[in-house]
Amino acid sequence: MYSSLEEAQRAVAMAGEAIRTKGLPPALCPFTAVFTGMGNVTKGALDIFKLLPHEMIEPGNLSKLAETGHASIEDCQKLFLSIATSEHMVRRKGGGPFDKAQYYSEPDLYESVFQDTILA
């Protein structure tokens, strides 16, 4: 537990410097994190995550990252972050384009694909 936000930020920044200089164990690489949505929790988490060496990756590229086996020294010296929003987590049943307003007003027309697109 930290006595202040600044103290916690310093600790995270120090961890980030260790990742940048020494790297993570290859067994943990590529180290990926996914934040869901763009609300206050994600915004706050991003404020802290940005203190770490990282590369942003589109949700649709997460499976490619795992497939290519990025365990190079360079890839072990950073974390990979993706932000998934509703358009990445659901699809319209029977096909068709994603419509956020429709998704919120008629969610029964959509089905989850989070397990296939993000967790795959």
Side-chain angles (χ1 to χ4, degrees):
M1 181 109 170
Y2 300 101
S3 61
S4 69
L5 176 60
E6 292 77 19
E7 185 181 345
Q9 289 171 321
R10 278 192 300 276
V12 171
M14 286 175 54
E17 187 56 29
I19 292 169
R20 187 179 350 276
T21 58
K22 298 177 184 172
L24 295 168
L28 295 179
C29 302
F31 190 99
T32 58
V34 177
F35 295 167
T36 56
M38 286 302 299
N40 290 334
V41 172
T42 292
K43 289 175 184 174
L46 277 171
D47 286 344
I48 300 300
F49 198 90
K50 287 179 179 178
L51 299 171
L52 301 168
H54 67 281
E55 179 178 326
M56 298 297 293
I57 185 166
E58 289 295 319
N61 292 331
L62 285 169
S63 62
K64 293 176 190 166
L65 181 65
E67 286 172 10
T68 56
H70 289 329
S72 70
I73 292 172
E74 180 183 294
D75 287 336
C76 287
Q77 292 174 320
K78 62 185 169 189
L79 310 178
F80 292 87
L81 174 63
S82 188
I83 299 176
T85 58
S86 51
E87 67 186 279
H88 304 108
M89 297 186 276
V90 298
R91 72 171 165 228
R92 190 174 175 156
K93 293 177 183 175
F98 175 79
D99 181 313
K100 187 175 182 177
Q102 181 186 52
Y103 171 60
Y104 284 113
S105 66
E106 300 178 79
D108 291 345
L109 297 177
Y110 292 81
E111 62 188 352
S112 174
V113 292
F114 187 84
Q115 69 282 357
D116 301 321
T117 58
I118 306 299
L119 298 178

